[in-house]
Amino acid sequence: MGFPQVVLPSLWRCGQRRPIKLPVILSTSPTLPRFNAFATASVEKGIPARVRFAPSPTGYLHLGGLRTALFNYLLAKQTGGWFILRIEDTDQARTVEGAADHLQQMLEWAGLKFDEGSKAGGDVGPYIQSERSELYRARAEELLQQGKAYRCFCTSKRLDNVRALAKRSGRTIGYDQHCRHLEPEEVEQKLRDGTPYTIRFKILEGKTTMQDIVHGQIDFANRTLDDTIILKSDGLPTYHLANVVDDHAMRITHVLRGEEWVSSTPKHILLYRAFGWEPPKFAHLPLLVNKDGSKLSKRQGDVHIEALIDKGYLPEALLNFVAFLGWGPGTTKELYTLEELVDDFNLENINKSPAVVSYDKLNHLNKLHISRRLADETQRNELVRQVQPVLQKEYEGRIDEEAAALLSDKAYLTTVVLAVKERIRLLTEVPKFALPFFVAPDYTTPEALKWKEKLDMKEINVVVEATVAKVDHITDDRWSAESVKDLLNAIALEKSLDFVQVMKNLRYAVTGTKVGVDMITIIYTLGRHRTLARLRLFLENI
């Protein structure tokens, strides 16, 4: 259902007056009490929540943004509510072209689908703030006419001087309310002269109390708050006005956002009161910090979701990881799918203390999710399909025709992926550990040459020659992982060598790499003929 169109009071801006028609929620609307009730009720299943993720298109999506989006998504889905995407692009100077589309692509990759937004549609749009400018100007004008806001004609130079003076004197307030006390005649003259102005919201004396789901009751002394600019001189709103107006117009019941917005919340609550609106429930999520306790910066490259995708993290692992940044199920369970998070998530279990971002934990979870995928036939097939072109690109020009054919063999490639699963934490590590299954050893690499200095080449020759003799006498029908193990155990006994030493010697001869999948698996998977070819290559080159 759409909203009624009403004509708001004529709007003064830059000496021009014009009436505008805007979608608004009237105080007499029969739907309003319903949504106000949502905002004041406790979070319970069966009570639909309307939540939004409202990023600014100023760059890449980062871990903190993904966590905010996820927590909002979980609350919406758990309560049978709505998850809304709103693009807050009123800061045009910082807006990056294409960033809004990129943000949506990253969220789609993660599996977080929106119920309403610029692409999904909905009845409270537009969902891009730059397309809602007239609504903000009208609301600012409304506050002006009610004496709850005033025009500020102060220049940037004067404001800088006022802030500098306040800083030197130790005051928290950066603006001295100079234009709040201008006479009406002086204001009218400045308007006639075309003097640029902003619109500031009057902060009243007293205190503002916020009930936060995470932090409990927080009291703010209003004397510590500036008379907030709500409309800039270019006619665009500040975050404070646009945020409040849109959350009300879009019937948002719960606002889940980062802890850095706590200090702005009293301004928002005061704006809600000025308009006569019921504010939503607030839940401010804990800060993300590094292991040393320093705040995680958006400028760190490895906090961007795109960078993490490039490193080989799965979407379900990344969601699992960010869910635990400030939240926990209260049990020892650590492996979660998105569906399982929807079932177990609750706002009451969000922590107040900062959440430490540990990439060791992320790697651990990614490894578990890779194994989980490989345990399911459908997901395993998809993962193998995803890995194949990566391996082809990585090994291009380094493999013979036989290996190239095997790289296109789904069954063989699946065997290889399953063989390396215990070694890999990231999908990008598959080429490294799968290398011996496709690429012949290169004994001239720096790694191989350095390793060779620590090896007994005479001993390796003895092991290789004994292995060639035994493998040459095994028929294809007897070739198995167990027969390979028996063969190598027999060589260790016959040559009076430790079994581990036999493995070490063969690893150099067959792979040329020091670390990798166990040699029994490599030899068995390569097969009799390719194993013999590798061993004879070693004898010819060393």
Side-chain angles (χ1 to χ4, degrees):
M1 177 182 291
F3 296 111
Q5 297 286 324
V6 298
V7 179
L8 293 174
S10 298
L11 175 66
W12 276 102
R13 181 169 182 269
C14 299
Q16 296 181 350
R17 184 193 299 268
R18 58 193 177 99
I20 56 176
K21 292 186 176 182
L22 297 166
V24 297
I25 300 178
L26 301 175
S27 60
T28 56
S29 169
T31 61
L32 187 57
R34 173 190 174 206
F35 289 103
N36 285 349
F38 286 174
T40 57
S42 60
V43 180
E44 298 176 3
K45 288 188 177 181
I47 300 179
R50 282 182 65 85
V51 296
R52 49 49 169 196
F53 178 54
S56 298
T58 55
Y60 295 104
L61 180 67
H62 54 87
L63 280 177
L66 181 62
R67 182 188 63 170
T68 299
L70 173 63
F71 282 15
N72 277 283
Y73 174 91
L74 295 178
L75 180 60
K77 298 309 167 186
Q78 188 180 78
T79 61
W82 298 266
F83 181 44
I84 300 166
L85 175 65
R86 184 173 75 223
I87 301 298
E88 299 193 338
D89 62 342
T90 55
D91 190 348
Q92 292 291 300
R94 295 180 61 234
T95 296
V96 176
E97 185 177 355
D101 288 337
H102 185 268
L103 285 165
Q104 294 185 68
Q105 289 168 11
M106 294 298 97
L107 293 166
E108 288 170 3
W109 169 84
L112 302 182
K113 296 182 179 179
F114 294 93
D115 300 299
E116 296 179 26
S118 59
K119 291 184 178 180
D123 64 354
V124 291
Y127 294 89
I128 300 175
Q129 284 190 336
S130 59
E131 299 175 10
R132 301 169 63 86
S133 298
E134 292 187 345
L135 175 59
Y136 310 130
R137 290 196 291 269
R139 289 304 187 189
E141 176 71 17
E142 182 181 325
L143 293 177
L144 276 176
Q145 292 184 357
Q146 294 174 0
K148 297 174 181 178
Y150 60 93
R151 294 177 176 85
C152 176
F153 300 92
C154 293
T155 63
S156 298
K157 183 178 180 180
R158 182 182 186 279
L159 291 175
D160 288 340
N161 291 335
V162 169
R163 280 191 287 267
L165 180 61
K167 186 176 181 179
R168 287 196 298 271
S169 61
R171 298 198 307 270
T172 57
I173 296 297
Y175 181 58
D176 58 1
Q177 299 183 348
H178 172 74
C179 291
R180 185 170 179 170
H181 307 294
L182 293 178
E183 294 296 329
E185 295 78 12
E186 188 175 357
V187 171
E188 289 299 323
Q189 183 59 53
K190 289 182 178 295
L191 289 174
R192 285 193 294 271
D193 294 342
T195 305
Y197 65 86
T198 60
I199 296 179
R200 288 183 181 269
F201 176 60
K202 291 181 180 179
I203 301 294
L204 303 179
E205 295 182 359
K207 74 173 183 178
T208 301
T209 298
M210 174 182 71
Q211 292 292 341
D212 190 273
I213 295 172
V214 176
H215 299 275
Q217 180 173 313
I218 305 176
D219 296 319
F220 299 89
N222 289 359
R223 55 184 167 75
T224 64
L225 306 176
D226 256 328
D227 277 1
T228 307
I229 294 177
I230 56 175
L231 204 71
K232 295 176 286 188
S233 58
D234 60 4
L236 291 175
T238 61
Y239 169 81
H240 305 295
L241 177 66
N243 182 273
V244 168
V245 169
D246 286 347
D247 281 350
H248 174 72
M250 294 180 180
R251 310 192 297 273
I252 300 302
T253 63
H254 297 80
V255 171
L256 279 62
R257 60 189 179 191
E259 189 176 299
E260 62 270 22
W261 294 109
V262 167
S263 60
S264 296
T265 307
K267 300 176 183 180
H268 300 167
I269 291 174
L270 290 171
L271 279 167
Y272 277 108
R273 290 178 184 172
F275 285 119
W277 300 336
E278 184 74 37
K281 287 283 187 180
F282 293 99
H284 287 90
L285 312 178
L287 293 174
L288 301 185
V289 298
N290 297 302
K291 287 183 179 180
D292 62 2
S294 60
K295 184 178 177 182
L296 198 71
S297 172
K298 297 177 184 179
R299 295 178 179 86
Q300 293 174 222
D302 55 359
V303 305
H304 297 141
I305 304 307
E306 187 172 46
L308 294 171
I309 294 173
D310 291 341
K311 287 183 178 181
Y313 291 104
L314 298 177
E316 60 267 36
L318 203 50
L319 291 179
N320 194 161
F321 175 64
V322 298
F324 276 72
L325 294 177
W327 173 85
T331 67
T332 57
K333 182 176 179 179
E334 64 173 350
L335 191 65
Y336 274 90
T337 62
L338 182 57
E339 293 74 19
E340 291 167 340
L341 284 171
V342 169
D343 290 337
D344 286 4
F345 179 75
N346 58 75
L347 294 178
E348 289 72 21
N349 275 13
I350 297 177
N351 301 316
K352 298 179 183 179
S353 55
V356 177
V357 176
S358 168
Y359 289 101
D360 290 338
K361 179 67 173 180
L362 176 55
N363 290 338
H364 169 67
L365 288 172
N366 202 61
K367 181 180 178 66
L368 293 179
H369 278 284
I370 289 174
S371 295
R372 191 172 191 168
R373 277 202 188 190
L374 291 174
D376 178 86
E377 183 178 1
T378 301
Q379 293 188 60
R380 180 170 63 246
N381 292 338
E382 174 59 26
L383 194 64
V384 170
R385 185 197 65 76
Q386 184 179 346
V387 165
Q388 185 180 33
V390 177
L391 294 180
Q392 287 175 329
K393 182 179 180 180
E394 186 74 20
Y395 301 154
E396 187 176 2
R398 303 168 65 189
I399 55 178
D400 57 25
E401 290 185 7
E402 183 180 14
L406 288 171
L407 196 50
S408 299
D409 185 327
K410 177 185 173 184
Y412 182 80
L413 189 53
T414 300
T415 300
V416 171
V417 172
L418 289 172
V420 304
K421 74 173 185 176
E422 295 304 323
R423 287 283 179 174
I424 63 172
R425 300 167 305 167
L426 308 170
L427 290 182
T428 48
E429 293 177 336
V430 174
K432 172 186 175 181
F433 291 105
L435 186 72
F437 297 98
F438 299 98
V439 181
D442 182 356
Y443 306 113
T444 65
T445 65
E447 178 190 5
L449 291 172
K450 186 176 180 180
W451 190 18
K452 181 182 177 181
E453 294 174 0
K454 300 178 181 180
L455 298 173
D456 185 336
M457 298 309 295
K458 289 183 179 179
E459 183 180 281
I460 296 179
N461 271 300
V462 169
V463 171
V464 170
E465 288 174 351
T467 306
V468 169
K470 289 189 177 296
V471 171
D472 211 17
H473 285 84
I474 295 181
T475 57
D476 288 336
D477 61 313
R478 290 176 54 213
W479 188 259
S480 66
E482 191 63 32
S483 67
V484 170
K485 183 179 180 180
D486 291 343
L487 177 154
L488 299 178
N489 269 314
I491 292 173
L493 288 172
E494 291 172 9
K495 305 302 179 182
S496 299
L497 294 171
D498 183 80
F499 183 76
V500 173
Q501 193 65 18
V502 171
M503 294 295 98
K504 182 179 179 181
N505 291 332
L506 286 175
R507 181 174 296 281
Y508 177 80
V510 175
T511 72
T513 57
K514 196 172 184 178
V515 179
V517 178
D518 72 274
M519 286 308 301
I520 293 174
T521 299
I522 290 177
I523 291 173
Y524 164 66
T525 305
L526 284 174
R528 284 184 64 252
H529 300 291
R530 296 178 73 218
T531 298
L532 284 171
R534 295 278 181 93
L535 294 173
R536 286 168 177 155
L537 176 68
F538 168 79
L539 293 173
E540 291 171 4
N541 284 275
I542 302 299

